Amino acid sequence: MPKFKKFVIFGFVLFAVILVNVFYSKLSSSHGSGYGSSHYVRQELEPVETAEEWMRRLKLDVENNYYDVMPNLYAELPPKNEWTNVIKSLDELAGDVGQIKKMMGNNSYGNQPEIMAQKFSIFSKLLKNGDADVEPELRKLILYANRDGGNEFTALLMASKDKQATQEWIMKNQSKSKSTHSSSSYVGSSDSDKSDWEIAFAENKVDEGISLLKKEISMTSERPDIASHWERLIRIGLLTDRIPLAIEATENLRKNLISHVQIDQYFTPYYYNSLFDLNLKNQEWQTILDTLDQVYVEQSKKKNPSSSGSYGYLDEANALHLTALYRLGKTDEFMDGIEAAQEVTQNDPEEFFRMLTYAATGQPPLGVLYLEHLNKAADPENAKVYALHLLARNQGMDVYYENLINLDQTLARSFIQSLRVYDPYEERPLIWQAELARRNGDLDLALKTIEQAIALDPSDGDHGKDSRMFCYEVLARVHADAGRKDKADFFRSVVDSIRQGEAADDFLHAGLIKEAAERYQKALGKFEDAYCLQSRLAMTLARNGQFDESVKHFKKAFELMPVSFGPRESHCFGCEGLFSDPRVIEIAKPLLMEFEKNNPKNPRAPYLLGLVLKQSKEEDQAAIAFQRAFEIDDNYYNAAIAWLEILEKDPYKYGEVEALRKRIYLIAPYASKPDYFNNQTNLHEYWDLIENFPPPLSLPVIPFLKSQEEPKINDQFLPYEASRHRHFGNRESEAIKGWTKSHLRRSNEFLRQLDYIR
């Protein structure tokens, strides 16, 4: 067996062990002892046919002290014509605390028979009448359980008919605790906060900085710090074309990595992300393979490998390993690794697709190489299936649109349209619909569609280097095809300025501040209306003691922002510490207020003003600003969720929250819709709403899965080991598969909160 295959298979075995340990610990923390403990798993069963069968499940949950009783039993209710019998049996059990106590035995572990009885009574009333007033019983339950806040009061407010009276009761019975914290920091930082080598790099004294940083390394004993410093020197060596420095730093980082793996039982690869940058630039694939093989060997020597951080199982390192094999023409070993990954992810295919999205520096994602291999192997049908799944999971990555179009343009056209329905705020499907129209010669449709994409997200801020502002590249192509050379040249210059700004980002992140600022200035010379470049330059100047010089760039950025955002803008506004300096807030406020005054129909201005007010702790005024934005544009998704976030902090506004959540539900993308269900306590209405929930994406069966459906499970509780075929999916993967009625009913927030009362 090839050495690579041995190591990869060993890695996958360790990965499986890690998953088992993680899931085991999660179960241990979420269940009590006995049958419902970490030794057993409560299966999510199909709905029953009769009330008798439903009561048997309820009693088994009680006997085994399973915590999540209500959501499961709601999802597993029989047809509505059987609910009368369910209610009758439930009322009988709720009225017999002695019977519940007998069923629970000595395994209560937090649950009390009296509390369980009251929960059953509340549940029964809501099954009788979805609009029943259960607040009096909830109050008694909360007082009996001696609870004084959090989930219990959330459930109470959900059930409340008089929100103000409920809030007064809560205030009376809630333990008051106050936590105050405030911080005031400035964007600008003094040189006294920086080391000598940081100051040297910031001032473009690169050789001096290199010498000082090497001296720092020689005096440092902390292995992560040493690794971080060598990584910086690799980046600086490559950015400034000091190749001997990059070679030296790479070799030292490689040695540090191997010794780190040998010594540290709890090794993490976090500090070694730049290790292969030089090898990748020179396409030294064999060196990459040899290094990774050595790491895997050292990992295998550990006494308890399952406790060490992953490096090479289903992560970037394994994707890089497979990429190197493919580039070296070792397709048999490449496919051995792909098939091993498919085998270990049978019950969690999202891990496999996540691995396929990893891309080594300067290389396409692993998934693109896999599609290329399938095409070379004359397997176009499987290539199409994987192309659809990769695009569904990576709707912002242009390379997957291009691949699907090249495979089957007709299939691509219909699937891209379905992505528009799935998430109406993702601009990439519109961009590629425009590109398809252009390729087919329909320039009027192409122009109309690309302008829609730009209006949806002009900033395109959530895309990475070399892919942002692709909408303007397509727009330039449309104008070029139509013979409008001047316009085509202009929009290409827009894209070029963004690329220059991205290159400046590399220098900024390497600590070469002066060089970065000069590059931002040069990029703005081509397109001064790029708010992101204006903002980045302003931040760079301000953080390095040049606040006065930064002011004009801050002003220009805020002037541009209202025309640079869409209904779900993707730029992380403020996450880079933009508003940590009060002086920046004072620049932004008057500019945005003036823009709103002069452009009363532009919803972006009040939205952006709301973000600024929120940063300055003026949340009441921020909520008003977000409300204004949403009233101007009732599809302004980001304004709505920002407004909701503030409203939810005030229990007195619970009625407004409910109304707003209902409006957001109508405009939310498919994956987020479950977060905004209204009338959570009305179990009848909730049941019917789920019956009419929108359909998911239509995707073919993943080829490597052994069966299209999970095996049917009849046992309510299974030993943990026997239930390992269960898929513990994340939110994204569940949405891609499609929200099931079972999942949505188990997600009823009122029932979940009710279960927490113990």
Side-chain angles (χ1 to χ4, degrees):
M1 179 183 293
K3 179 169 66 172
F4 163 76
K5 188 173 181 180
K6 291 180 182 178
F7 294 146
V8 170
I9 291 175
F10 175 77
F12 289 144
V13 171
L14 292 184
F15 176 78
V17 172
I18 292 170
L19 283 181
V20 170
N21 286 345
V22 169
F23 294 148
Y24 186 91
S25 65
K26 285 184 178 179
L27 290 164
S28 298
S29 65
S30 62
H31 301 306
S33 211
Y35 220 16
S37 74
S38 60
H39 301 294
Y40 288 85
V41 177
R42 193 340 179 143
Q43 307 304 310
E44 293 182 359
L45 304 177
E46 295 297 316
V48 297
E49 294 297 325
T50 66
E52 290 77 16
E53 187 180 354
W54 187 85
M55 283 302 298
R56 282 196 296 271
R57 290 187 185 178
L58 182 148
K59 290 176 180 177
L60 192 56
D61 278 345
V62 173
E63 288 170 1
N64 294 291
N65 190 40
Y66 186 67
Y67 276 179
D68 301 326
V69 176
M70 300 301 175
N72 273 321
L73 291 175
Y74 177 61
E76 296 167 12
L77 278 166
K80 275 191 171 182
N81 59 12
E82 278 285 304
W83 283 18
T84 301
N85 294 328
V86 166
I87 292 164
K88 180 180 177 182
S89 299
L90 197 56
D91 285 343
E92 289 176 0
L93 183 60
D96 193 345
V97 175
Q99 176 65 14
I100 297 174
K101 185 174 183 180
K102 183 178 178 181
M103 291 163 61
M104 295 175 70
N106 296 319
N107 295 324
S108 63
Y109 295 98
N111 272 326
Q112 299 178 49
E114 295 80 3
I115 290 176
M116 292 298 294
Q118 290 182 62
K119 288 181 184 179
F120 293 152
S121 176
I122 291 169
F123 189 50
S124 172
K125 282 190 173 183
L126 291 173
L127 289 183
K128 290 175 190 173
N129 172 15
D131 204 32
D133 184 4
V134 295
E135 184 176 3
E137 288 192 64
L138 265 176
R139 290 187 182 185
K140 291 178 184 177
L141 179 58
I142 291 169
L143 293 175
Y144 183 87
N146 195 27
R147 310 297 290 197
D148 61 358
N151 300 313
E152 299 75 26
F153 290 154
T154 300
L156 190 61
L157 281 164
M158 285 181 179
S160 172
K161 303 298 183 185
D162 183 341
K163 306 301 180 186
Q164 184 170 347
T166 301
Q167 179 58 26
E168 290 171 358
W169 186 90
I170 289 173
M171 295 300 291
K172 180 180 178 182
N173 290 277
Q174 185 177 35
S175 295
K176 295 182 175 61
S177 62
K178 293 183 179 179
S179 60
T180 58
H181 58 87
S182 61
S183 60
S184 178
S185 59
Y186 281 70
V187 171
S189 59
S190 67
D191 286 345
S192 62
D193 299 326
K194 299 178 180 178
S195 63
D196 290 342
W197 59 265
E198 285 179 305
I199 294 171
F201 283 138
E203 296 175 353
N204 272 18
K205 299 175 182 177
V206 180
D207 290 331
E208 181 183 340
I210 291 168
S211 177
L212 289 169
L213 185 51
K214 285 184 177 180
K215 182 178 179 181
E216 175 80 12
I217 292 171
S218 69
M219 300 170 61
T220 301
S221 59
E222 293 294 326
R223 194 173 300 277
D225 290 342
I226 294 172
S228 178
H229 293 334
W230 284 123
E231 275 211 312
R232 183 182 294 271
L233 288 175
I234 291 173
R235 293 198 301 273
I236 288 174
L238 292 174
L239 284 170
T240 63
D241 203 28
R242 288 172 168 81
I243 302 304
L245 172 66
I247 293 172
E248 176 192 2
T250 297
E251 185 55 33
N252 278 285
L253 185 59
R254 194 187 320 277
K255 291 177 181 177
N256 196 72
L257 166 64
I258 300 303
S259 62
H260 197 165
V261 178
Q262 292 170 336
I263 295 169
D264 193 346
Q265 179 65 41
Y266 300 97
F267 161 76
T268 172
Y270 176 78
Y271 300 101
Y272 299 91
N273 292 331
S274 299
L275 173 60
F276 298 107
D277 284 358
L278 179 62
N279 303 132
L280 286 163
K281 179 178 181 179
N282 296 329
Q283 297 193 30
E284 296 166 346
W285 300 111
Q286 192 59 52
T287 301
I288 292 170
L289 285 181
D290 292 343
T291 301
L292 288 172
D293 283 345
Q294 191 175 358
V295 172
Y296 298 160
V297 167
E298 296 302 333
Q299 286 272 64
S300 69
K301 295 177 182 178
K302 293 185 176 181
K303 294 180 180 179
N304 183 20
S306 66
S307 65
S308 53
S310 67
Y311 193 83
Y313 303 149
L314 289 177
D315 59 6
E316 292 98 329
N318 191 55
L320 176 58
H321 205 160
L322 292 170
T323 299
L325 287 170
Y326 188 81
R327 292 306 188 198
L328 289 167
K330 299 182 178 183
T331 53
D332 288 343
E333 292 179 59
F334 171 80
M335 282 307 299
D336 284 343
I338 291 289
E339 289 166 7
Q342 292 174 341
E343 180 64 28
V344 80
T345 58
Q346 277 285 320
N347 300 304
D348 190 5
E350 299 312 309
E351 287 294 324
F352 175 72
F353 285 107
R354 192 172 299 115
M355 183 187 74
L356 292 186
T357 64
Y358 293 135
T361 304
Q363 293 291 311
L366 178 61
V368 171
L369 301 183
Y370 183 44
L371 292 176
E372 186 178 294
H373 171 78
L374 290 174
N375 274 327
K376 288 180 180 178
D379 192 2
E381 293 310 310
N382 264 342
K384 291 177 188 178
V385 172
Y386 282 109
L388 287 169
H389 278 276
L390 283 165
L391 178 52
R393 289 162 173 78
N394 303 279
Q395 295 171 42
M397 294 185 68
D398 298 311
V399 66
Y400 293 123
Y401 290 90
E402 187 74 65
N403 269 271
L404 183 58
I405 290 169
N406 290 339
L407 285 166
D408 188 329
Q409 191 171 126
T410 302
L411 175 64
R413 184 177 290 106
S414 63
F415 189 70
I416 291 171
Q417 176 57 37
S418 71
L419 293 180
R420 284 281 299 125
V421 176
Y422 181 83
D423 186 350
Y425 303 106
E426 172 56 59
E427 82 285 356
R428 243 49 185 184
L430 269 173
I431 293 174
W432 280 95
Q433 285 179 325
E435 174 63 5
L436 276 170
R438 184 194 71 82
R439 293 183 186 186
N440 291 325
D442 192 342
L443 298 184
D444 289 340
L445 177 60
L447 183 60
K448 178 182 177 181
T449 308
I450 198 62
E451 287 176 346
Q452 288 176 340
I454 292 170
L456 187 61
D457 187 2
S459 69
D460 202 13
D462 61 341
H463 291 87
K465 187 179 179 182
D466 297 328
S467 63
R468 287 188 59 227
M469 299 298 188
F470 181 55
C471 52
Y472 293 104
E473 171 59 33
V474 172
L475 181 56
R477 294 174 188 177
V478 173
H479 284 306
D481 288 356
R484 296 184 286 267
K485 185 177 182 301
D486 289 347
K487 287 189 175 182
D489 289 345
F490 169 74
F491 286 112
R492 287 203 171 106
S493 72
V494 169
V495 176
D496 186 47
S497 71
I498 298 299
R499 296 292 172 264
Q500 289 188 29
E502 290 169 346
D505 291 344
D506 293 337
F507 285 85
L508 179 66
H509 297 151
L512 303 174
I513 308 300
K514 185 178 179 182
E515 176 71 18
E518 291 173 355
R519 286 174 175 264
Y520 287 133
Q521 291 275 20
K522 184 178 179 182
L524 284 169
K526 286 201 166 192
F527 182 53
E528 68 172 357
D529 286 345
Y531 88 90
C532 53
L533 297 182
Q534 294 282 2
S535 173
R536 191 66 58 86
L537 175 58
M539 289 286 291
T540 302
L541 293 170
R543 282 176 170 164
N544 289 276
Q546 298 173 272
F547 192 86
D548 290 343
E549 292 91 330
S550 76
V551 171
K552 67 178 181 180
H553 298 290
F554 276 127
K555 286 183 176 180
K556 185 65 174 178
F558 291 122
E559 288 170 358
L560 292 168
M561 283 179 183
V563 294
S564 302
F565 284 64
R568 189 173 70 176
E569 97 287 332
S570 51
H571 179 71
C572 186
F573 191 73
C575 69
E576 297 172 330
L578 183 62
F579 297 116
S580 59
D581 188 330
R583 293 175 294 180
V584 179
I585 293 175
E586 293 310 311
I587 293 172
K589 274 186 184 178
L591 288 171
L592 293 171
M593 287 178 178
E594 183 66 18
F595 188 97
E596 182 181 5
K597 179 181 176 181
N598 295 330
N599 302 272
K601 293 185 178 180
N602 184 323
R604 315 306 175 218
Y607 170 70
L608 291 166
L609 180 61
L611 292 178
V612 174
L613 292 166
K614 183 179 177 183
Q615 288 289 328
S616 61
K617 311 302 181 186
E618 300 173 78
E619 291 208 330
D620 288 343
Q621 292 303 310
I624 294 171
F626 293 138
Q627 182 179 2
R628 286 202 305 272
F630 193 45
E631 286 173 349
I632 296 170
D633 179 359
D634 58 9
N635 283 305
Y636 202 159
Y637 183 68
N638 265 34
I641 60 178
W643 181 22
L644 178 68
E645 182 182 343
I646 295 177
L647 288 180
E648 286 181 326
K649 295 179 181 180
D650 186 350
Y652 282 110
K653 296 180 179 177
Y654 203 84
E656 294 176 59
V657 168
E658 286 182 317
L660 181 55
R661 285 168 64 87
K662 190 170 184 178
R663 292 176 68 186
I664 296 175
Y665 170 80
L666 296 175
I667 65 171
Y670 178 85
S672 300
K673 279 189 179 295
D675 296 336
Y676 303 108
F677 272 59
N678 198 33
N679 298 316
Q680 295 281 353
T681 60
N682 192 324
L683 300 186
H684 285 262
E685 187 172 330
Y686 189 68
W687 187 274
D688 294 336
L689 181 61
I690 290 169
E691 289 292 331
N692 299 306
F693 196 79
L697 283 172
S698 178
L699 285 167
V701 176
I702 297 170
F704 66 80
L705 295 186
K706 291 178 180 176
S707 62
Q708 296 186 18
E709 297 180 359
E710 292 184 353
K712 297 294 183 183
I713 304 166
N714 295 319
D715 291 332
Q716 193 162 331
F717 288 89
L718 284 179
Y720 177 73
E721 289 299 313
S723 68
R724 276 192 298 172
H725 63 274
R726 295 287 300 145
H727 168 61
F728 294 83
N730 58 33
R731 180 182 182 82
E732 178 185 345
S733 65
E734 293 298 323
I736 290 295
K737 288 195 306 182
W739 299 120
T740 64
K741 293 178 183 178
S742 173
H743 172 90
L744 295 172
R745 286 177 178 139
R746 283 182 169 86
S747 300
N748 180 281
E749 195 60 29
F750 173 75
L751 295 178
R752 288 162 61 91
Q753 304 294 355
L754 183 62
D755 252 344
Y756 290 141
I757 304 175
R758 300 186 179 105

